Amino acid sequence: MSTQIKSVLVENRVFPAFPELVKTANIAGMEAYKALVAEAQASPEGFWGRLAKENLNWTTPFTQVLDESNPPFYKWFGDGELNVSENCLDRHLGTPTEHKTAIIFEADNGDVTQVTYRELYNRVCEFANGLKALGYKKGDRAIIYLPMSIEAVVAMHVCVRLGITHSVVFGGFSSKSIHERLVDVGASLVITADEQMRGGKAITLKPAVDEAISMGGCEAVRHVVVYKRTGGAVNWTEGRDLWMHDVAKGQSADCPAVPVNAEHPLFILYTSGSTGKPKGVQHSSAGYLLWAMLTVKWAFDAKPSDVYWCTADVGWITGHTYIAYGPLANGLTQVMFEGVPTYPNAGRFWEMIQRHKVTVFYTAPTAIRSLTKASEAQPDVHPRKYDLSSLRLIGSVGEPINPEAWMWYFKEVGGERCPVLDTWWQTETGGHMITPLPGVTPLKPGSCTLPLPGIEAAIVDEAGGDVENGMGGFLVVKRPWPAMIRNIWGDPERFKKSYFPPELKGYYLAGDGAQRDADGYFWIMGRVDDVLNVSGHRLGTMEVESALVSHPLVAEAAVVGRPDDTTGEAIVAFVVLKRDLPEGDEAVQVAKQLRDWVAKEIGPIAKPKDIRFGENLPKTRSGKIMRRLLRIVAKGEEVTQDVSTLENPAILTQLSKSV
Ligand code: WT7
């Protein structure tokens, strides 16, 4: 583990919880929060067991809360059975929620479609019955590669209803990425669409699936089910390819949910690590659902009258927990959006909040920063031009939110009436871990504040010892919690090594550096491993390097992050070619080729912003690339430290020039 922890800027402003929320919130007041924390500390099993009994519908009740006999392979509610889709849909039938709007879907072009909980249930059942008829069953795995749509939520619930483990692949990922995941999960089913609409343009999806399957090793795939989004032309493999509407046609609108064990893998979601290929983060059914449900209830203070909107894509964990599962389990009405925040103009989010009277809004710092810039340049799309008075809570996720962006969000979007919920969590944690609670927590711009009840977050040193408040260290979680990652799909050794290093006393290692202030508030300082965070998307430096070196022109590449005003971090790639150093226009051409190559290998989000060519990379005499120096060079700063251990110090000057 490397330590590159710097101190964060001191931020002194404190905003007390709003009195109205202290009275009415689902966790009302600091005393209520402290009581839950104390309950969890006194008896973790009593606490989690009580919540799991009170909040979930079990087909077979559990008798054991936590099985710790084989750490870190924890089992929660391990002898219980339930179905997650049943807990999100069927539970509302026969209640006032049955005919309530579940999803308000706004398409890229502004068309709005709505479904009630009853309609959503029926659509899930028809499609599920269709898949059942095709022989799909509990234990199968499906890849879902769909645009933001009601169909995406339906597809996820169809899988879950039948006990099929899904793995959603973000629509911006390449055929190569789909292929990797298809093979790794051993999928027998793929659910995709013809095309997706973003910013007024149709972008194809199915060709990437066809290409992925043709790369080989996907013999398990029996069907590709296609949602007709645009009606654009698609190639068709007879016998394998089926239209989603044909699969569902004529099927019964009731389909009993298949009970699964609490630990049954609900989904596998790939995320980047510091080494090797993306990791298939395996989540459980019951523990995950419990936390998805509770965190929406607690952090987003779910109320029946809410119109909730999380702007994430279902291809990320945020879209799983805070679109597909948490809001539905709570019976909320939620907005889902197909398009991009800047189309037809950068006022789209504000216009949608106004149109749908959104009360709870959850987005990413990168969106906030870019919309701040846009509204400074174009006053007519400034949030104050819209009626945002329906908002009561505004949330942030994915990367540290700097105090300036926090203040802008608080003032211009929240009208100084809405708490900003800076939620810290990860793909692996399943749901929020450290976050303000609307009726509890005094806010400090830039801090994700305090851990949720039951979450034993701490800052430790290299040996797992607690560090004092005010000192930087590794963010860990000391005790298991129900929604935690269960395994890396097919790679238990990597799971242990990545998250439970032996020197850390069995604590869960998050991979972030952080510190606590004198009030015990957490301040996240970013990753301490070779993981980048670009616009809230996680990317391994090694992944981007492997993509670069697989290009025939590239001999060697090193990738680092550089702070960026809009995207948080930007990717800078240092590249050694197999030919002589390109100059001028030629360098521009080669750099473009390499960017396009990375987009094809991984996806456009992984494109390096800055490419630097050199005849070599800075290395120690033993041949190790000095990334520490590259980070300095990437920022355009001068290297002032001693470089005498470098094999080739002159190379730093060459690498300081951008193409
Ligand atoms: C990494 C996890 C959480 C779902 C979306 C991203 C960073 C996330 C915050 C926050 C500071 C944050 C961390 C974390 N991160 N939320 N509120 N403040 N940093 O999930 O792709 O698994 O990325 O995102 O570095 O480790 P992910």
Side-chain angles (χ1 to χ4, degrees):
M1 289 186 300
S2 64
T3 326
Q4 307 142 10
I5 301 172
K6 287 177 228 86
S7 79
V8 284
L9 75 165
V10 181
E11 173 57 59
N12 294 319
R13 282 166 291 198
V14 180
F15 298 88
F18 293 98
E20 185 53 30
L21 284 166
V22 175
K23 270 186 266 152
T24 61
N26 294 337
I27 301 184
M30 187 54 93
E31 291 316 309
Y33 163 74
K34 283 189 176 155
L36 285 167
V37 171
E39 181 192 347
Q41 261 162 6
S43 165
E45 293 199 33
F47 173 75
W48 292 116
R50 172 177 76 76
L51 291 168
K53 270 190 204 127
E54 284 173 8
N55 288 282
L56 305 184
N57 291 343
W58 296 87
T59 42
T60 308
F62 58 91
T63 61
Q64 188 183 20
V65 174
L66 172 63
D67 176 353
E68 295 186 84
S69 59
N70 182 25
F73 299 94
Y74 300 103
K75 288 187 182 150
W76 286 92
F77 321 115
D79 58 353
E81 286 193 15
L82 49 56
N83 183 287
V84 169
S85 179
E86 201 262 343
N87 270 276
C88 292
L89 301 174
D90 313 35
R91 78 181 308 155
H92 303 302
L93 304 181
T95 78
T97 310
E98 174 171 353
H99 300 294
K100 179 178 173 178
T101 301
I103 303 176
I104 303 169
F105 174 72
E106 183 162 318
D108 188 58
N109 68 0
D111 287 352
V112 174
T113 322
Q114 309 204 5
V115 283
T116 64
Y117 273 90
R118 161 57 73 175
E119 287 160 348
L120 190 61
Y121 163 83
N122 288 149
R123 281 175 64 174
V124 167
C125 287
E126 286 165 10
F127 187 4
N129 280 323
L131 286 185
K132 228 160 101 176
L134 291 168
Y136 290 98
K137 55 177 195 317
K138 177 156 112 184
D140 291 343
R141 268 96 54 207
I143 291 281
I144 296 179
Y145 187 64
L146 283 171
M148 286 297 282
S149 52
I150 294 173
E151 285 68 17
V153 174
V154 168
M156 291 163 86
H157 278 272
V158 164
C159 290
V160 170
R161 196 164 193 85
L162 297 178
I164 299 168
T165 301
H166 64 65
S167 184
V168 183
V169 180
F170 172 57
F173 277 132
S174 65
S175 54
K176 187 102 189 284
S177 301
I178 303 172
H179 178 253
E180 247 170 49
R181 289 151 174 76
L182 261 173
V183 172
D184 199 56
V185 301
S188 53
L189 171 67
V190 182
I191 307 176
T192 188
D194 50 0
E195 299 180 321
Q196 59 179 335
M197 294 300 301
R198 283 174 80 79
K201 287 194 228 59
I203 304 161
T204 62
L205 286 173
K206 182 156 186 296
V209 170
D210 293 338
E211 208 176 301
I213 295 174
S214 74
M215 289 175 186
C218 311
E219 289 69 29
V221 174
R222 294 199 288 122
H223 296 101
V224 175
V225 176
V226 187
Y227 160 47
K228 194 184 249 183
R229 167 64 187 91
T230 63
V234 285
N235 286 330
W236 208 252
T237 304
E238 282 307 326
R240 186 197 73 181
D241 297 350
L242 300 167
W243 289 110
M244 189 183 278
H245 54 262
D246 287 336
V247 174
K249 195 158 60 194
Q251 295 292 342
S252 156
D254 283 300
C255 173
V258 176
V260 298
N261 182 272
E263 284 294 318
H264 180 73
L266 182 68
F267 64 84
I268 301 158
L269 187 60
Y270 286 81
T271 191
S272 297
S274 44
T275 55
K277 284 189 191 160
K279 307 182 269 201
V281 173
Q282 179 185 323
H283 275 290
S284 70
S285 292
Y288 170 83
L289 172 68
L290 177 63
W291 205 222
M293 187 172 176
L294 281 176
T295 51
V296 168
K297 197 177 267 184
W298 290 350
F300 294 142
D301 190 37
K303 293 279 157 67
S305 55
D306 274 321
V307 178
Y308 162 98
W309 181 20
C310 164
T311 67
D313 191 283
V314 287
W316 310 111
I317 189 70
T318 310
H320 282 57
T321 310
Y322 297 110
I323 295 176
Y325 299 111
L328 296 182
N330 281 284
L332 286 181
T333 294
Q334 72 174 319
V335 173
M336 233 182 135
F337 177 41
E338 178 180 44
V340 297
T342 48
Y343 177 82
N345 60 50
R348 183 68 181 266
F349 276 3
W350 324 133
E351 192 191 315
M352 284 182 61
I353 292 171
Q354 171 180 291
R355 180 160 41 247
H356 302 295
K357 301 195 169 47
V358 171
T359 58
V360 179
F361 180 63
Y362 192 34
T363 196
T366 189
I368 297 164
R369 288 191 298 262
S370 69
L371 296 176
T372 306
K373 274 194 195 159
S375 64
E376 275 160 10
Q378 302 159 258
D380 52 321
V381 296
H382 194 282
R384 74 171 77 95
K385 296 282 174 185
Y386 303 82
D387 177 6
L388 306 183
S389 60
S390 56
L391 287 174
R392 64 184 198 93
L393 307 175
I394 53 179
S396 165
V397 61
E399 49 180 320
I401 177 165
N402 46 308
E404 294 69 37
W406 195 103
M407 283 307 301
W408 186 86
Y409 195 32
F410 181 68
K411 276 198 181 137
E412 308 296 348
V413 180
E416 298 183 51
R417 292 174 291 105
C418 310
V420 173
L421 310 169
D422 175 5
T423 60
W424 178 86
W425 59 294
Q426 310 176 291
T427 304
E428 293 88 342
T429 68
H432 301 153
M433 298 293 278
I434 309 179
T435 175
L437 293 170
V440 173
T441 325
L443 305 172
K444 300 187 191 184
S447 168
C448 55
T449 75
L450 301 170
L452 285 168
I455 302 301
E456 255 189 71
I459 315 282
V460 300
D461 60 23
E462 252 110 359
D466 287 309
V467 305
E468 279 169 49
N469 287 351
M471 301 288 287
F474 299 106
L475 178 52
V476 298
V477 186
K478 290 188 170 177
R479 283 196 54 83
W481 67 101
M484 70 194 296
I485 174 177
R486 292 304 197 270
N487 205 344
I488 291 178
W489 183 256
D491 201 346
E493 280 312 308
R494 192 175 176 199
F495 169 67
K496 281 200 274 192
K497 235 176 84 189
S498 310
Y499 302 111
F500 300 92
E503 63 275 20
L504 288 190
K505 306 177 174 172
Y507 300 160
Y508 167 81
L509 176 69
D512 280 341
Q515 68 174 26
R516 301 182 82 162
D517 64 18
D519 297 325
Y521 274 44
F522 284 76
W523 297 79
I524 309 291
M525 290 178 276
R527 303 286 308 192
V528 289
D529 51 11
D530 291 319
V531 170
L532 304 178
N533 192 325
V534 182
S535 300
H537 301 319
R538 208 164 129 177
L539 288 161
T541 49
M542 217 174 116
E543 254 176 282
V544 184
E545 286 165 8
S546 320
L548 283 167
V549 296
S550 70
H551 188 282
L553 275 178
V554 177
E556 212 178 357
V559 164
V560 301
R562 175 181 69 204
D564 185 281
D565 277 355
T566 307
T567 57
E569 260 186 311
I571 301 176
V572 183
F574 297 89
V575 177
V576 182
L577 296 177
K578 287 180 184 158
R579 38 155 288 180
D580 47 336
L581 212 57
E583 305 266 350
D585 277 356
E586 206 191 355
V588 174
Q589 285 305 316
V590 180
K592 181 176 182 308
Q593 261 185 47
L594 296 184
R595 278 199 193 93
D596 293 346
W597 177 267
V598 173
K600 209 178 97 319
E601 289 286 296
I602 305 173
I605 51 172
K607 275 190 188 180
K609 178 157 185 189
D610 190 350
I611 293 188
R612 316 273 183 95
F613 294 110
E615 277 153 349
N616 208 334
L617 297 172
K619 289 181 189 151
T620 59
R621 287 177 209 280
S622 60
K624 196 169 170 279
I625 298 174
M626 304 276 284
R627 285 165 196 284
R628 188 171 49 83
L629 294 182
L630 287 176
R631 274 186 214 108
I632 298 170
V633 174
K635 279 193 262 185
E637 290 169 5
E638 209 171 320
V639 177
T640 50
Q641 61 249 76
D642 180 18
V643 291
S644 58
T645 55
L646 271 189
E647 167 81 29
N648 46 357
I651 211 73
L652 292 176
T653 317
Q654 206 174 49
L655 292 171
S656 62
K657 279 189 293 229
S658 299
V659 170

